[in-house]
Amino acid sequence: MRFIIAAIAFLGSAALLVVGWLQVTEARAADSVVATGTVSQESPLLVIPSDTLIEHAGTQSITISGDGPIRVAIGRQADIAGWVGTTQHEIVTLDDTSGALVFTPGEASADETTAPNILGNDLWFQEYEGDGELKLEQTLPVGFALLVQSDGESPAPSQVSISWPLDGRAPMAGPLLLGGGVLLLISLGLLLWALLSMRRRSKPQRQTHDVLEPEASTDAPAVGEAATTPAFAFGRSAPSADDGLDAADVDPVEQSQGVVAASVRLSEGTQPEPADVNSRAGAPDEQPGHAWAPPAAADEHSRQTDAPAFPSFRAPSAEAPVPAAAPAAEGTPAAVDDPFSWSAPSTSSEPEAETVDAAPLAQPDAHAEPAPAAAPTDEDRPEPSTKDDGDERDDDSSDAGEPPSGDASGPSPEAPAAGTPAAEPQQWRRPRGRDRSQAPKRLFRLIPVLLVGSIALTGCSADFWPEQFGGSTSAPTTPTPTSSIDQALLTEGEALPAVNSQQLTEILDDAARLAQEGDAANNPDGLKPRFTQAAYQERAAEYQAKAADNALPGPVAFPTGEVVYAVPQASDSWPKSIFVVREAGGETPTAPFGIMLTQSSARDTYKVASIVQLTPDVTLPEAAPAEIGAPGIDGLEQPLVIAPEELAGAYADVISNGDGSQFAALFSPDGDSLRTQISEARAAVSGEIDANAARIEFQTRQTDDPPFGVQTLDGGAIVAVSIEEVEKLSARTQLATLSVQGRTAALAGASSSSLGFETLYTNQLMFYVPSEATGGAIQLLGFANTMTGARQLNANEVTYG
């Protein structure tokens, strides 16, 4: 099972490492991605939507090619869609399969095959113009698109190319490489664990291949008796004592298994035949046949005639006589100090000769010289062992090969006890082919560590990790919006404000420029691109009066100071409104001006529909910031205390009837100086005329201009309306002559009349109207009262008497 888990872990690590490395290779391979396409249709407009521009992160390098002029406008996608409308156009998208740009016809009318000039509209953030080829470098926010045309009459440019840079980042490569390295270590650990476990399980069943040396009897036979020789002999000679091995290197498991094997062979064999022990005794100057054999005893009568095959593994009887130690013969090895020690002296480093297996030795004479040992054959030679030293030390057998234990006390240090052979230090050790103590085997254990370390170091680059884990910051998948509020609006799906602060400033500056030019030229024609309704009428009347009488003062200068309050309408439909409070600017400090801008359709510019000077100490209601905008008054979630379309008529009734008006309770008199001003002006005019010769009549009415406004945070609204005051001066008798002067005479074109004059005053009004749920009085924020017209009366308009 461990092998299976190790294999699975290894395959998993290989997969992670390969995928991680492929990501690194792919990230380093290219530095940009390019998408190109050619349009075959003849639509006058091309639209490159936001989804196409933000398909990849980074700056969009856009190249547009075609025949003739090229115009490009950048704006919000909803604004571009509103501007395009039902005009024929092509939408540029990116094909996910091929990666090329494709052109899809948008919903349009078959009759609208041309488009006006796209440049100069207030919706656009940037405008570009070129000829033949136009290159742009942009990092557009989410929700922004491109509108492209040639001249509006000809087909739009046919070739578009967009490229995005690649930053060489592979944010998942680091985690993949690290995970692969960890799995690799786990697989190697499991494999090593499985191998060690398998080796431990297989050791008890491993059979030994070593042949044991014959053990000679240590008991000398009695005089005249033949010594007993075992019926078998071990086919291995003891290694030399000076081969560099010590007693700690003897493998007790091998020794124990060899003894057991020999015992089994002994139990299955025949009884050993007697042999003359004297034939094995060598001359005093000769070495014994085996280095581990004990020295010959001096008293041969003390030897036993029938010695057991393995006397050293049989407990000696306590009643058996202990033979006396025999003096060592000259030239024989010295007796060992410890009879139970595994070491023995040796006179040569060469291996001893081996005896012939299972061959009884014939010894006719006890004093004859021993027969020379047979030379070992190739089959009897032990093969070198390739097993590591650590493997032999792992064996748990500790009792095998131990000296016998018994009740009798051990032999004296001078000579070994009867029946106990001297221990051979190299007897049970398998010879090795070479000394591997200096082999660099531990170096191979460092290979996985070095491999995983190199992989880990490869993944240490910040480009290969996600940003939340300390990776490098790159261009986001979608470009950063112009503000966090824009991002919130896009996320929530809310409508964006009509304009941003930059666009609003440009619109106001352009209106101020046109107003200054008109004031200087005393010509209202230049005001039309930026002024409409009551704001245009007021300035045009001022120009007309000044043209008739240059001594008359001109209109109030258009404000050029700082914008201190702005509430653009947030809507995807038209018309749209923007309420702005701008300081007057100039050297003389005056009250700021409230300006209501309106855009009737996407292709129109924003125009000043109403401009008033705020009343002193006015408090403006809380409204949403310009970055968010506010809904218009055309879609109120809750009703106001009075409907916006009824506001002008209600206030006109209050001007006419004062506190007796049915709407008087709706309007707060605090700060409303217009009522007082109109009342005083009417009283002054009435006191100046001769009641017997002329009569004067006053009328207040609402204009035909629709209301404009935006909502406030409390559910109320800021609403701009206008009303007209009609002052009719008529003769009561045919003999009367009525005279006027100043602006009235200038606008009427005459200073006297027998019938009379009608004067028109236009009042631009700015109100705060609370919601019905909140309650409260309507507050006048500011006003502008200007004579906008005067004429002579017709005969049918005069009643005498």
Side-chain angles (χ1 to χ4, degrees), residues 77-136:
Q77 186 163 306
D79 294 339
I80 288 179
W83 194 96
V84 172
T86 57
T87 304
Q88 293 184 4
H89 61 281
E90 299 289 327
I91 301 176
V92 183
T93 58
L94 188 64
D95 185 77
D96 296 335
T97 304
S98 63
L101 295 177
V102 295
F103 299 83
T104 305
E107 296 183 2
S109 173
D111 298 333
E112 298 187 34
T113 58
T114 61
N117 189 353
I118 64 175
L119 302 181
N121 194 280
D122 294 332
L123 298 177
W124 315 141
F125 286 78
Q126 289 178 317
E127 297 176 350
Y128 299 91
E129 191 172 8
D131 191 4
E133 183 178 84
L134 186 62
K135 294 184 178 180
L136 308 176

Side-chain angles (χ1 to χ4, degrees), residues 442-451:
R442 291 179 178 86
L443 182 60
F444 294 97
R445 302 173 186 173
L446 298 177
I447 294 179
V449 178
L450 296 177
L451 178 60

Side-chain angles (χ1 to χ4, degrees), residues 335-355:
V336 295
D337 296 337
D338 188 357
F340 297 101
S341 173
W342 289 97
S343 61
S346 176
T347 58
S348 174
S349 61
E350 297 296 330
E352 297 291 340
E354 299 180 354
T355 59

Side-chain angles (χ1 to χ4, degrees), residues 11 91 113-114 123 134 210 232-233 266 322 361 457 503 537 596 623 636 670 695:
L11 293 177
I91 301 176
T113 58
T114 61
L123 298 177
L134 186 62
D210 296 336
F232 64 92
L266 179 62
V322 180
L361 300 177
L457 290 177
Q503 289 175 301
Q537 294 171 8
M596 186 67 72
L636 293 169
D670 298 337
R695 69 167 60 92

Side-chain angles (χ1 to χ4, degrees), residues 15 23 28 40 67 82 94 148 177 255 283-284 292 340 376 393 502 516 584 603 610 622 630 690 743:
Q23 288 194 4
R28 300 301 192 194
S40 58
D67 298 331
L94 188 64
V148 182
L177 293 176
Q255 180 181 5
W292 49 267
F340 297 101
R393 298 189 189 99
Q502 178 183 353
Q516 291 173 359
R603 295 187 179 182
S610 177
E622 292 186 3
D690 183 0
R743 193 178 299 276

